[in-house]
Amino acid sequence: MTSLAQPPKIYVAGHRGMVGAAIVRALEAKGQANIVTRTHADLDLTDQAAVRAFFASEKPDQVYLAAAKVGGIHANNTYPAEFIYQNLMMEANIVDAAFRNGVKKLLFLGSSCIYPKLAPQPMREDALLTGTLEATNEPYAVAKIAGIKLCESYNRQYGASHGVDYRSVMPTNLYGPGDNYHPENSHVIPALIRRFHEAKLAAAPGVTIWGTGTPKREFLYVDDMAAASVHVMNLDKATYDRHTQPMLSHINVGCGHDITIRELAEAIGKTIGYQGEIRFDPSKPDGTSRKLMDSTRLNALGWQAKVGLEEGLALAYADFLESGK
């Protein structure tokens, strides 16, 4: 009697981050029990020798590369050296160690900031490297572009000879459980959740938000992102190859529609039950007027987002309250 095939051993790098944690949840929901993780205290991913030793010891079959140093505009502007160095080192160490230890399947998670500041909307995958990046997060974006090209380069050199199949997905703005609610270093949804919650507790008459409220942004619930990641990882190679190109292989992950910052603020205020006035300060900067991902490629591969903004914000607020932040 032949024994059943062993389930793949899957290493999720960055499992304590918002996306990595969601990927672990998605894998566990599918019955995947053989998941390998390491905390930063146990494994410094910027340390090449340590990463190589880990891969040589654990020998995972698949890797989800969700580890990254992330932050909002303030953090990107304040720590540009850390953002480019740490992200470059982590992805280079992991991709190379994966290859050296026979990992055939790897998924690299990037960011929508890889696209030029003035990319046509919605942003298609082929907009990559066609223009100047947004200056405030250029170091982070360059590191993420390098990650895509790392995966593509290993595929091109070792795909035929070693069966290497390393893929990349680029999420739009993410939110949900495990988000960062820091008052300075957080993104727009967690920042507004905190501000409206605090305003509600203080019975503040109004909340003032930077800018005009007219810029549009796309938001995706993090568990949808995790589901998309698992979907792309598990696509058969022929299907993946048919929808991508060797040097244009990344896939956008978004919900396909955007809303204004004013609409977002109103939705968050409603979710939290804040009754005061929502004001905008047009003397403050707006940022890019629109950032919408074209997710046609992913939709053609059989995946679409499921969690709507109203449902997602309620789940995010519940997480914020539970986190005690």
Side-chain angles (χ1 to χ4, degrees):
M1 183 177 173
T2 55
S3 61
L4 293 171
Q6 290 292 312
K9 180 188 278 192
I10 301 175
Y11 170 46
V12 179
H15 75 287
R16 282 191 164 176
M18 180 170 65
V19 183
I23 287 172
V24 171
R25 288 196 296 273
L27 292 170
E28 289 176 342
K30 287 183 170 289
Q32 175 62 46
N34 199 0
I35 300 171
V36 179
T37 59
R38 289 291 187 277
T39 65
H40 177 71
D42 293 328
L43 176 62
D44 178 358
L45 295 174
T46 66
D47 182 335
Q48 185 184 66
V51 173
R52 286 185 175 180
F54 163 76
F55 271 85
S57 169
E58 285 292 339
K59 294 285 186 183
D61 300 300
Q62 297 181 10
V63 175
Y64 286 85
L65 209 178
K69 180 172 179 62
V70 297
I73 291 174
H74 175 79
N76 274 274
N77 260 338
T78 309
Y79 313 110
E82 290 178 30
F83 272 86
I84 193 164
Y85 174 79
Q86 291 186 23
N87 285 297
L88 282 171
M89 293 303 291
M90 285 189 278
E91 64 205 26
N93 288 341
I94 291 171
V95 170
D96 188 66
F99 166 70
R100 288 167 178 265
N101 288 280
V103 175
K104 302 286 195 288
K105 303 209 61 174
L106 178 146
L107 190 77
F108 171 68
L109 282 80
S111 163
S112 61
C113 71
I114 63 168
Y115 292 115
K117 181 178 181 178
L118 302 178
Q121 302 290 320
M123 298 180 290
R124 295 177 4 158
E125 285 88 352
D126 59 11
L128 184 66
L129 297 176
T130 60
T132 305
L133 297 164
E134 166 63 53
T136 54
N137 60 8
E138 183 192 76
Y140 178 73
V142 167
K144 288 298 182 181
I145 293 169
I148 298 172
K149 294 305 172 184
L150 263 171
C151 292
E152 289 178 351
S153 299
Y154 276 72
N155 289 344
R156 288 167 60 206
Q157 188 167 342
Y158 302 117
S161 60
H162 291 71
V164 166
D165 183 7
Y166 295 171
R167 305 174 181 184
S168 300
V169 284
M170 300 297 119
T172 187
N173 301 295
L174 301 173
Y175 71 99
D179 212 338
N180 168 28
Y181 300 98
H182 190 278
E184 287 180 345
N185 294 342
S186 58
H187 291 108
V188 63
I189 286 183
L192 289 180
I193 284 175
R194 172 185 273 276
R195 288 191 63 197
F196 279 111
H197 175 73
E198 290 175 349
K200 178 185 173 183
L201 293 184
V207 170
T208 302
I209 297 167
W210 277 26
T212 62
T214 57
K216 301 184 86 171
R217 292 291 182 271
E218 177 184 23
F219 299 99
L220 185 71
Y221 188 64
V222 71
D223 286 81
D224 269 345
M225 177 61 204
S229 299
V230 174
H231 180 82
V232 171
M233 174 72 102
N234 291 322
L235 286 168
D236 68 272
K237 191 170 187 308
T239 302
Y240 181 79
D241 288 349
R242 206 162 49 242
H243 289 84
T244 59
Q245 299 165 35
M247 295 180 72
L248 189 65
S249 66
H250 62 287
I251 295 174
N252 287 344
V253 183
C255 64
H257 56 85
D258 52 7
I259 63 167
T260 66
I261 296 298
R262 180 180 292 276
E263 290 167 333
L264 174 68
E266 289 168 352
I268 292 174
K270 181 181 174 185
T271 298
I272 290 168
Y274 176 66
Q275 304 290 331
E277 183 186 359
I278 300 174
R279 312 182 193 107
F280 289 86
D281 181 357
S283 71
K284 301 294 186 190
D286 262 338
T288 308
S289 62
R290 195 178 191 206
K291 275 183 71 177
L292 177 64
M293 302 276 267
D294 184 327
S295 297
T296 305
R297 179 179 275 188
L298 180 60
N299 298 154
L301 287 163
W303 187 89
Q304 285 189 308
K306 292 186 174 68
V307 181
L309 187 66
E310 188 176 338
E311 178 189 356
L313 288 176
L315 292 165
Y317 184 45
D319 173 68
F320 169 77
L321 293 174
E322 194 176 310
S323 71
K325 293 173 182 175

